[in-house]
Amino acid sequence: MSIAEREASPAATTPAPAAGWAALRPLLLRLHFYAGVFVGPFLVIAALTGIAYIYTPQLEQALYDHELHVPAGPGALSLDRQTELARAQVPDGKITAVRPAPTGTDTTQVIFDRPGLAPSYHHTVFVDPHTGEVRGALETYGSGQSMPVRSWLSTLHSSLQLGDFGRLYSELAASWLWVIVLAGLALWIGRRRRERRARSVLLPAGGAPGRRRLLSWHGVVGLWAAAGLLFLSATGLTWSLHAGVSVSELRSALDWKTPAISAAAASPAGADVGFQAVRDATARAGLSDPVELRPPGKPGKGYVVQQIQRSWPEKQDSMAVDPATGRITNTLRFDDYPLAAKLSRWGIDAHMGLLFGLANQIVLTALAVGLICLVVWGYRMWWLRRPVRGETRFGRQPVRGAWRRVPGRVLAPVLVGAAVVGYFLPVLGVSLLGFLLLDVVLGLRNREVAA
Amino acid sequence: MIGELGLRWIVTLAFAAAGAFCLYRCVRQGSAAHRVCDVLHALMCAGMVAMAWPAAMDVARVPQIVFFSVAALWFAGMVVAGRKNRLAFGYHALMMAGMAWMVLVMPLAMAGAMPASSGAGSGDHAGMAMGGATTMIGDSPAHVTIVAAALTVVFLVAGTAWMARAVDAGRGDSSLRLRTAGLVTNGVMGLGMALMAAVLI
């Protein structure tokens, strides 16, 4: 037999596959069903812990009122004096940043690195800018200066306090969420023509309780929440353990990285005008509060003063200051960031509920509650499909062999696309492979039982 | 050369499996000419595996270029001599020529390659600081980039088309498993070629 014969297509032996939507729908239904059943619990956990996390700004203000706030008073000590007072409390620490009190009723935060701290954690001393009284010290986290309660809830949301292993749960949820949402959207919008009136697509059906009404609520809420859920999935993946690496590589390759200000300074080592002079110079140049001042990390570097407002309108401008002269050597405006870097900043802050304050928090809460309802309704519909007689306790699954009805010209690009996506989102890829293997094993077992 | 270790192993396993199948089919069936085709494909798979690994990508470059050029001519001859499946043989000729070209330009494309660390991103969630990824960012000459991009598209489309035929064949008569596996092998080789060409961009 020649290659030509070996590769020729014997059409007579191949059943004609279904065309178009009729072929794709069963495949999407199986995908939506199995992925939903598998990932549903993780999505519920992510939604619940996410709701708790969203309100941590208010929680922080209440729990750490003594550290964060002071009575209004006349005048203020210089930043250099305040840092001296804080440094006396942490003899083994090295100052990495100072956040001057943005208003008369806030404390100044002096941020230290000290031995024994986990990566990205800081030791922060809170100083009354009017009296110099040290109001307390806390272990804070990251560029957002999360207080302990926010750090704890954040870790709960991201990893269930289980370290890198626990991060797989949130990555699994974020990796599958967009797949489930897109498949669900296609299924809902692509329903049979007689059911596809605009009202039934956009608004939930009334009538007697039952599977049909649940399906209507599941579809309509899913439709309205889809854009928000896709956003949460995409931004959530940027923090994930494995897919986050792919996102970082993509941003690097496309030059979408957040620009960093150059703080090179040609001043002689040891010369230092101090925090207050640096802050005064940048304030005169128009850099308004709230800001963070980072001292030179090594000789040849200058101070960096960075705005830290994460709510709209974001303040993220930064300036570099020569430590010897107090002269501003460089300025980086948020307005000059590449669009992708701005979108990244806005996306992260919106995901964390910071960008639009209370409105942002309410929208995220609604999305999370909607997601929980979608999962619960999905399980409920499965339960309602169970046989009322016999020993089977679970509902019927969508029929097997859906792929056999999809034409190769449709299925092959889908498979290639899935392989590419699975590579860049490895948790999705590995779990998808697991699904397929399990499905094959179950299919073989069913065949044996039937025989 | 593929910088990413995981991807390197995927390519290695895929081409090893494809090469093994070609040898198996060569032993099982086919005319003398088509057994030669299978051997050429098996050797191409071995060449691709070698090209994926840093230590082996420069091994016997000139003999490889000569060999794959001759293999391309062989398939071109099959196009001229044959009456059926000229398109498929033409595709195999292009694949062998592409292989020879990739062996030729690989050192040129990799000369500017450097490990690029991704930024730390925004580690705003506790315990979720982004990992520092390392990838190979190539700085290929323009002509290499253009040809590599064209080959990527061609082999991506071709590999997907072979896969589509494999899917259609797979749902048919179960006695044609060898034929289906052959189509899958062609798909894997095409997609692997696309991936390798994409590395050169």
Side-chain angles (χ1 to χ4, degrees):
Chain A
M1 183 185 280
S2 70
I3 282 187
E5 287 167 328
R6 285 181 295 191
E7 293 174 355
S9 176
T13 61
T14 306
W21 177 245
L24 265 182
R25 187 181 176 282
L27 196 66
L28 286 177
L29 191 60
R30 267 177 83 76
L31 181 69
H32 186 71
F33 171 80
Y34 278 111
V37 166
F38 174 57
V39 183
F42 301 115
L43 290 173
V44 169
I45 293 169
L48 289 172
T49 55
I51 291 173
Y53 177 82
I54 293 165
Y55 294 96
T56 47
Q58 287 90 337
L59 201 58
E60 281 182 339
Q61 296 298 317
L63 286 178
Y64 306 108
D65 180 60
H66 181 74
E67 286 83 1
L68 294 172
H69 302 296
V70 292
L77 302 176
S78 75
L79 285 176
D80 299 299
R81 177 64 186 144
Q82 292 181 61
T83 52
E84 270 176 33
L85 293 166
R87 189 180 279 129
Q89 303 287 318
V90 195
D92 61 343
K94 179 189 173 193
I95 293 178
T96 56
V98 174
R99 292 190 171 194
T103 72
T105 56
D106 291 319
T107 52
T108 294
Q109 298 180 22
V110 185
I111 304 165
F112 291 86
D113 184 23
R114 66 187 302 190
L117 284 174
S120 297
Y121 279 85
H122 321 291
H123 182 87
T124 299
V125 175
F126 299 83
V127 181
D128 184 334
H130 310 296
T131 64
E133 176 199 359
V134 171
R135 305 275 291 182
L138 294 169
E139 199 168 283
T140 54
Y141 175 82
S143 57
Q145 271 290 87
S146 304
M147 302 290 127
V149 67
R150 177 141 57 119
S151 303
W152 192 86
L153 283 170
S154 171
T155 312
L156 185 71
H157 178 58
S158 61
S159 68
L160 300 177
Q161 305 284 350
L162 294 173
D164 279 350
F165 176 74
R167 287 176 71 181
L168 289 175
Y169 113 82
S170 56
E171 182 160 358
L172 196 67
S175 297
W176 276 102
L177 180 57
W178 66 273
V179 178
I180 297 170
V181 168
L182 289 181
L185 264 184
L187 288 169
W188 185 244
I189 295 172
R191 286 182 309 158
R192 281 170 295 186
R193 187 178 295 276
R194 65 184 169 80
E195 296 178 34
R196 215 172 51 192
R197 290 196 304 269
R199 192 194 175 287
S200 70
V201 172
L202 298 173
L203 296 172
R211 191 179 159 276
R212 192 174 180 79
R213 196 173 78 170
L214 271 181
L215 176 63
S216 172
W217 277 91
H218 184 86
V220 169
V221 171
L223 178 75
W224 286 105
L229 296 178
L230 290 173
F231 166 79
L232 290 178
S233 173
T235 47
L237 281 172
T238 64
W239 279 292
S240 60
L241 186 61
H242 300 290
V245 173
S246 298
V247 174
S248 297
E249 285 181 353
L250 182 69
R251 288 182 65 191
S252 293
L254 298 177
D255 203 15
W256 284 358
K257 286 169 68 176
T258 301
I261 191 167
S262 167
S267 313
D272 190 352
V273 294
F275 285 102
Q276 189 61 54
V278 168
R279 179 64 192 118
D280 290 343
T282 53
R284 281 194 300 274
L287 203 67
S288 58
D289 282 328
V291 294
E292 178 177 283
L293 293 81
R294 294 192 289 274
K298 55 186 177 182
K301 293 286 183 185
Y303 280 87
V304 171
V305 184
Q306 162 106 45
Q307 289 182 312
I308 52 173
Q309 182 165 305
R310 306 275 292 274
S311 56
W312 193 269
E314 295 238 11
K315 291 184 179 177
Q316 293 289 319
D317 295 351
S318 53
M319 292 180 177
V321 180
D322 188 326
T325 63
R327 191 174 58 83
I328 294 168
T329 57
N330 205 351
T331 300
L332 178 63
R333 303 277 179 200
F334 185 65
D335 285 345
D336 297 331
Y337 278 24
L339 178 63
K342 284 183 187 172
L343 289 174
S344 173
R345 177 79 272 159
W346 292 329
I348 287 167
D349 292 339
H351 185 117
M352 296 172 77
L354 300 171
L355 190 58
F356 298 113
L358 188 60
N360 201 154
Q361 292 172 317
I362 291 170
V363 169
L364 286 175
T365 305
L367 274 176
V369 171
L371 180 59
I372 294 167
C373 290
L374 287 169
V375 173
V376 172
W377 289 332
Y379 278 114
R380 176 75 182 146
M381 283 190 290
W382 185 29
W383 175 254
L384 291 175
R385 275 207 309 271
R386 78 192 188 285
V388 291
R389 292 177 187 169
E391 294 181 356
T392 307
R393 292 174 185 276
F394 295 106
R396 290 192 312 274
Q397 305 100 14
V399 289
R400 297 181 59 79
W403 72 272
R404 290 180 180 277
R405 299 178 58 195
V406 184
R409 65 178 184 281
V410 176
L411 189 56
V414 170
L415 290 175
V416 173
V420 173
V421 171
Y423 176 75
F424 286 107
L425 307 180
V427 172
L428 175 72
V430 170
S431 52
L432 180 61
L433 271 181
F435 273 142
L436 293 175
L437 284 175
L438 184 67
D439 201 37
V440 168
V441 169
L442 288 177
L444 292 174
R445 201 191 66 173
N446 290 348
R447 198 180 295 175
E448 279 177 13
V449 170
Chain B
M1 182 194 82
I2 296 176
E4 193 89 19
L5 188 61
L7 192 58
R8 199 186 294 162
W9 271 109
I10 290 172
V11 167
T12 300
L13 293 175
F15 276 105
F21 173 78
C22 289
L23 289 177
Y24 170 76
R25 188 170 59 179
C26 172
V27 171
R28 283 287 300 272
Q29 60 175 223
S31 64
H34 293 103
R35 286 174 200 258
V36 172
C37 293
D38 276 337
V39 171
L40 292 178
H41 275 127
L43 289 169
M44 191 207 90
C45 289
M48 285 301 262
V49 170
M51 199 189 290
W53 291 83
M57 73 171 182
D58 279 337
V59 172
R61 276 185 58 233
V62 174
Q64 279 196 69
I65 293 166
V66 172
F67 173 80
F68 290 119
S69 300
V70 171
L73 289 175
W74 166 270
F75 280 107
M78 297 287 283
V79 174
V80 175
R83 278 174 291 179
K84 288 199 298 184
N85 268 21
R86 288 184 169 184
L87 187 63
F89 285 125
Y91 163 75
H92 293 308
L94 177 67
M95 187 183 265
M96 291 297 169
M99 189 72 197
W101 178 81
M102 284 201 285
V103 176
L104 178 71
V105 302
M106 186 62 81
L108 200 61
M110 290 295 139
M114 61 189 76
S117 298
S118 62
S122 181
D124 296 293
H125 269 314
M128 291 183 82
M130 291 177 183
T134 302
T135 185
M136 299 301 289
I137 301 295
D139 189 15
S140 303
H143 65 277
V144 172
T145 303
I146 291 167
V147 176
L151 288 181
T152 301
V153 173
V154 167
F155 286 114
L156 183 63
V157 171
T160 308
W162 284 115
M163 284 296 186
R165 289 184 64 186
V167 169
D168 288 335
R171 73 163 66 86
D173 190 342
S174 60
S175 67
L176 295 171
R177 280 185 183 156
L178 193 65
R179 177 179 164 272
T180 305
L183 292 170
V184 171
T185 301
N186 278 337
V188 167
M189 287 193 293
L191 294 173
M193 283 289 290
L195 197 153
M196 211 51 141
V199 169
L200 301 177
I201 295 174

